[in-house]
Amino acid sequence: MAEQMLAADGRPLKASLNRALRRQKIRALMLIAPLLIFILVSFVMPIADMLLRSIQNQIVGDTLPRTVVELADWDRAAGTEPDAVVFEALARDLAVAVEQKAHTRLGSRLNYELTGVSSLFRKTGRGVDEIGETVQDALEEAVPAFEERAAFGVMLGSPDWLAEIAAWREAGSDGRPPTFAPSGPMQEALPDTAALYQSFADLAVASEDDPLEERPWPIFYHVFAQEAQGIAFPENITAEAAALFVDGQRALDGAALDDPKALFIDIDDDWADPEVWQTIQTFSPDYTNGYFLNSVDLLKGPDGVEVRPEDEQIYITLFVRTMIMSMTIMGMCVLLGYPIAWLLANLPARTANLLMILVLLPFWTSLLVRTSAWKVLLQQQGVINDILVGIGIVADGNRLELINNQTGTIIAMTHILLPFMILPLYSVMKTIPPSYLRAAKSLGATDWTAFWRVYFPQSVPGIGAGCILVFILSIGYYITPEIVGGTKGVFISNRIAYHISSSLNWGLAAALGTILLAVVMILYWLYDRIVGIDNVKLGG
Amino acid sequence: MSGLPPYASTGQRVWYYSFRVICGLIFFFLIAPIMVIIPLSFNAEDFFTFTPEMLSLQPEGFSTKHYEDFFTNSDWQLALRNSLKIAPVATLLSVTLGTLAAIGLSQSHVPFRRAIMATLISPMIVPLIISATGMYFFYSNPYIPTPFGKIELPFTLTGTYWGVVLAHAALGIPFVIITVTATLVGFDRSLTRAAANMGAGPVRTFFKIQMPLILPGVVSGGLFAFITSFDEVVVVLFVGSAGQKTLPWQMFTGLREQISPTILAVATLLIAISIVLLFVLEVLRRRSERLRGMSPG
């Protein structure tokens, strides 16, 4: 066996080299790490967050946890509203949601899927506290102790919690009161009442109020009346709690209860409409593809995915329009950019550098400046129309409509993106030796053949790079279409912005954004394959 | 294509001149819209078009009142101040981090180089509206989610100065990476080795040898980053609040709502800034080529 080569320090040379290489790699990564972390936190994670939002749908399950469970067994095809059990659950959920002011948010969320749900929830929110009032009156009359606001807290709370509350009061009731903890036996005996009281106490704690001083929700009495019937006396509870429980149970035995189902339908008969319940059931899972279906003009109907009614189909049209307009802009850029790049690449360096300024100045000029320039030029009373009227091509009463439509967007964006086509084309054409053209001509090719068969094929990489770059930049444009595009000349980006700042349908905005991002990423990948990320040149 | 050969046919002559005319028209298309802004910004009327007085070059057709409005109007001045407060800090952040990373990326053995590069360049490629949406949602969280749990923050970034600065720094990074790595491609590694050989530590080598040589790349990357932030409107519209209203934001709302000719005065000033920038970049490019032993273009 050959003897191992050793380095100066006596280690095997191979190990020593490996160690050096590893050190080099670590050093390089250490230099990159700060920036990589920065980009991950400030840029990549926000994008990932947006992608998640396009499928997230926790709001239904979070706001109506009990209803969602009960509704799972409901037969949506039966064509009738759910049983009273579901309405009981809804009464509990809404009682909490109304206090948290979460029901209006849920209403607007479900309104994206079924028009009218928003007002239904708002209307119901105002009437839901009637449920339980009948029992409350009966109980308070029979057992005066329940007129105390602290009654439920004393009955349900653990002795420790009650002691902590007393200590907190002693200390001047400053800051947050202690978090509610139910007493074990009571939680076992009255689980729903305890859970509702927990939400009640948590809300009070969050706003730094004393839970024992807050007015109890009527729903407590309703649920207590149901749960207390016919159960055994819970062992190991404080004397006060026991007294309240026993008196309450006796008073409520056989008492008349409110009927949540009748009450809800009385508030708004939409609650008897199976369609409302179908929508809630469809959107009860934590994750949904609903936003994505919406962004391709589909919807989740009662019997699976279906096509949206014709008058609501807008997104496919918008995507197609964005694509077609970006293609047009790209084509215009090739058409205008190719001659310029050719001229610059074939002129003497001094002249070319001077003319290059005419390309670079627009490139460096603020986007807003260029957009405002086009707004000034293209208006009905603008410079171009004035000139055309002045030289008599267009009649004064018949001025061209160049702005607030697709023409405006295409003209302005071609101008804005043209440098992005010229620069990559130029850098490719610079590398094509002019002797090839001369050789072709000396072999008998005409000017056209020499160009088309010899020069043009060599410039194709430049066209490819420029086209992808212009297309990528163009499909995501927002500012210019917003200002010169009117309603017909806007892109998908403008719709995304609308959903974020005006309609507040963030999930849909995220889904539209995800689709747009996917298209851009495919093109980016292509660009990396064809041109290579390292070969991006800026400013010639 | 330097001149026509004496034996050119009539057809070739016609094509030669018409091609030049076509190119002239395209250059006109590129530059005219920007140039039109300049005389219009001196309009004495509140119009966006040339008045008869202006066309006949009468002095009463011109005035500097839109410039006066820009320099006295508190909205515009606040916007200018905000822009000048945000852009330099964002630039400083992206240049510092970007230069370090570019040096790391140009080492000979970098694992996952391609993936890292693609990630770092992505802010330039992802449509601004998507970056803006993501940042708008994410920066309003008072925490950073990590695989090991949430890191709680005592603040949220939406609507704050630092939120806008961080967002703009992220957008400027690709430009710094691209320009600095391009400079480093032509960097002669034996220079740093020679410095190390003569006893200079890595820090000293960096500041005395490497930094002066790559400085043109760093400065032009910085200019790109600066202009990116200075020009940016979509992200600041979403991430910022009224307190961070920048110059482009003010122009954007001006163009969309009440269209005031002050915009044209601001635009003219911005054009002047771009001309200066262009000039500085050209000087830097020549210097860089000279330093790297190439003949000036």
Side-chain angles (χ1 to χ4, degrees), chain B residues 62-98:
Chain B
F62 296 87
S63 88
T64 52
K65 67 175 201 177
H66 303 313
Y67 291 87
E68 278 157 28
D69 183 40
F70 171 68
F71 285 108
T72 50
N73 187 319
S74 59
D75 279 353
W76 283 105
Q77 285 304 302
L78 177 70
L80 177 68
R81 265 204 307 280
N82 276 332
S83 278
L84 290 177
K85 267 197 294 196
I86 290 168
V89 181
T91 308
L92 194 71
L93 246 168
S94 29
V95 168
T96 322
L97 294 173

Side-chain angles (χ1 to χ4, degrees), chain A residues 364-380:
Chain A
W364 277 100
T365 305
S366 163
L367 170 71
L368 263 305
V369 171
R370 286 179 282 169
T371 309
S372 25
W374 282 110
K375 181 133 190 164
V376 170
L377 288 171
L378 297 174
Q379 282 183 86
Q380 294 243 296

Side-chain angles (χ1 to χ4, degrees), chain A residues 21 24-25 27-29 31-32 34-36 38-47 49-50 53 335-337 339-340 342-344 346-350 353 355-377 379 381-383 386 411 414-415 418-419 422 441 447 469 472-473 475-479 482-483 493-494 496-497 500-501 506 509-510 513-514 516-517 520-521 524 527-529 532-534 536-540, chain B residues 1-2 12 19-20 22-24 26-27 29-37 40 48-50 93-94 97-98 100-101 103-105 107-111 113-114 116-131 133-141 144-146 165-167 169-171 173-175 177-179 202 220 223-224 227 231 233-234 237-238 248 251-252 255-256 259 263-264 266-268 270-271 274-275 277-278 281-282 285-286 297:
Chain A
L21 187 66
Q24 221 175 3
K25 280 186 182 172
R27 215 182 67 162
L29 283 182
L31 284 169
I32 303 170
L35 179 64
L36 201 59
F38 176 76
I39 284 285
L40 283 177
V41 173
S42 69
F43 184 77
V44 178
M45 276 158 71
I47 302 255
D49 187 45
M50 186 208 73
R53 251 168 220 272
L335 219 60
L336 299 180
I340 294 296
W342 196 79
L343 189 75
L344 290 176
N346 288 288
L347 278 177
R350 197 163 288 278
N353 272 348
L355 286 179
M356 193 54 133
I357 293 177
L358 298 184
V359 178
L360 290 180
L361 184 62
F363 182 76
W364 277 100
T365 305
S366 163
L367 170 71
L368 263 305
V369 171
R370 286 179 282 169
T371 309
S372 25
W374 282 110
K375 181 133 190 164
V376 170
L377 288 171
Q379 282 183 86
Q381 303 300 325
V383 176
D386 278 357
I411 296 178
T414 304
H415 176 251
L418 193 50
I422 295 178
K441 283 183 197 168
D447 282 355
L469 196 59
I472 287 181
L473 292 173
I475 55 172
Y477 244 65
Y478 165 66
I479 295 295
E482 182 77 19
I483 288 173
S493 307
N494 302 79
I496 296 177
I500 289 180
S501 45
W506 291 352
T514 306
L516 178 62
L517 185 65
V520 169
M521 280 298 135
Y524 181 37
Y527 187 86
D528 189 25
R529 286 277 115 157
I533 295 302
D534 312 19
V536 184
K537 293 271 193 318
L538 292 171
Chain B
M1 177 157 140
S2 41
Q12 279 172 327
F19 182 74
R20 305 233 145 180
I22 292 170
C23 285
I26 300 172
F27 277 123
F29 171 71
L30 270 170
I31 212 76
I34 298 175
M35 291 303 140
V36 158
I37 293 256
L40 273 182
F48 264 19
T49 187
F50 290 100
L93 246 168
S94 29
L97 294 173
L100 274 183
I103 291 171
L105 279 168
Q107 312 269 321
S108 38
H109 301 283
V110 184
R113 187 170 188 283
R114 216 183 160 90
I116 292 176
M117 197 74 178
T119 312
L120 296 183
I121 304 288
S122 58
M124 194 174 83
I125 299 294
V126 172
L128 278 174
I129 189 77
I130 293 180
S131 314
T133 311
M135 288 165 171
Y136 174 66
F137 292 144
F138 189 76
Y139 286 7
S140 57
N141 295 338
I144 303 174
T146 65
V165 166
L166 286 185
L171 295 180
I173 285 211
F175 299 100
I177 293 279
I178 288 172
T179 49
S220 53
L223 285 179
F224 265 107
I227 209 76
D231 252 11
V233 51
V234 187
L237 268 177
F238 282 89
M251 286 180 83
F252 179 67
L255 280 174
R256 216 165 47 162
I259 195 157
I263 291 174
L264 298 182
V266 181
T268 307
L270 290 179
I271 293 171
S274 350
I275 292 174
L277 269 178
L278 191 59
L281 272 174
E282 183 60 22
R285 195 177 63 86
R286 295 196 177 194

Side-chain angles (χ1 to χ4, degrees), chain A residues 50-51 53-54 292 505-515, chain B residues 133 137:
Chain A
M50 186 208 73
L51 297 184
R53 251 168 220 272
S54 64
F292 277 101
N505 190 349
W506 291 352
L508 182 57
L512 291 171
T514 306
I515 297 176
Chain B
T133 311
F137 292 144

Side-chain angles (χ1 to χ4, degrees), chain A residues 211-520:
Chain A
L212 297 181
E213 299 280 318
E214 293 290 296
R215 181 191 297 279
W217 300 340
I219 191 79
F220 291 158
Y221 302 90
H222 180 74
V223 178
F224 175 53
Q226 289 177 339
E227 286 191 320
Q229 270 176 28
I231 55 167
F233 177 74
E235 300 287 331
N236 295 327
I237 54 174
T238 59
E240 280 168 305
L244 281 163
F245 179 83
V246 173
D247 290 349
Q249 192 180 34
R250 190 176 309 131
L252 288 170
D253 191 24
L257 291 178
D258 286 315
D259 178 6
K261 182 168 175 173
L263 257 164
F264 274 119
I265 295 175
D266 186 45
I267 292 174
D268 194 321
D269 49 17
D270 275 355
W271 285 117
D273 181 0
E275 210 181 343
V276 170
W277 290 101
Q278 280 165 357
T279 309
I280 297 178
Q281 196 188 40
T282 309
F283 290 93
S284 40
D286 280 352
Y287 294 94
T288 176
N289 56 4
Y291 293 122
F292 277 101
L293 292 177
N294 196 347
S295 40
V296 288
D297 290 340
L298 300 173
L299 63 87
K300 267 189 156 171
D303 328 299
V305 176
E306 35 182 290
V307 178
R308 242 163 224 282
E310 202 129 316
D311 54 327
E312 285 175 26
Q313 295 182 7
I314 45 171
Y315 296 111
I316 295 277
T317 326
L318 202 53
F319 272 115
V320 171
R321 186 205 289 162
T322 306
M323 290 285 172
I324 291 179
M325 284 178 65
S326 301
M327 296 267 203
T328 316
I329 291 161
M330 185 183 88
M332 296 281 285
C333 283
V334 177
L335 219 60
L336 299 180
Y338 200 90
I340 294 296
W342 196 79
L343 189 75
L344 290 176
N346 288 288
L347 278 177
R350 197 163 288 278
T351 334
N353 272 348
L354 271 179
L355 286 179
M356 193 54 133
I357 293 177
L358 298 184
V359 178
L360 290 180
L361 184 62
F363 182 76
W364 277 100
T365 305
S366 163
L367 170 71
L368 263 305
V369 171
R370 286 179 282 169
T371 309
S372 25
W374 282 110
K375 181 133 190 164
V376 170
L377 288 171
L378 297 174
Q379 282 183 86
Q380 294 243 296
Q381 303 300 325
V383 176
I384 291 185
N385 265 315
D386 278 357
I387 293 174
L388 291 178
V389 170
I391 54 177
I393 298 181
V394 175
D396 199 12
N398 201 9
R399 286 168 175 257
L400 298 180
E401 280 185 34
L402 296 170
I403 205 169
N404 295 336
N405 54 22
Q406 301 195 357
T407 323
T409 308
I410 290 174
I411 296 178
M413 282 187 55
T414 304
H415 176 251
I416 287 164
L417 295 176
L418 193 50
F420 290 96
M421 179 64 82
I422 295 178
L423 295 175
L425 265 176
Y426 171 73
S427 66
V428 169
M429 285 181 181
K430 253 323 224 195
T431 64
I432 305 176
S435 52
Y436 287 5
L437 262 186
R438 288 205 291 273
K441 283 183 197 168
S442 74
L443 289 168
T446 61
D447 282 355
W448 169 251
T449 318
F451 167 74
W452 184 245
R453 301 284 299 276
V454 176
Y455 195 89
F456 183 75
Q458 296 185 79
S459 67
V460 165
I463 300 183
C467 280
I468 299 182
L469 196 59
V470 168
F471 194 80
I472 287 181
L473 292 173
S474 158
I475 55 172
Y477 244 65
Y478 165 66
I479 295 295
T480 310
E482 182 77 19
I483 288 173
V484 299
T487 50
K488 286 272 171 217
V490 291
F491 285 1
I492 197 74
S493 307
N494 302 79
R495 199 71 198 168
I496 296 177
Y498 163 77
H499 280 308
I500 289 180
S501 45
S502 303
S503 84
L504 302 184
N505 190 349
W506 291 352
L508 182 57
L512 291 171
T514 306
I515 297 176
L516 178 62
L517 185 65
V519 175
V520 169

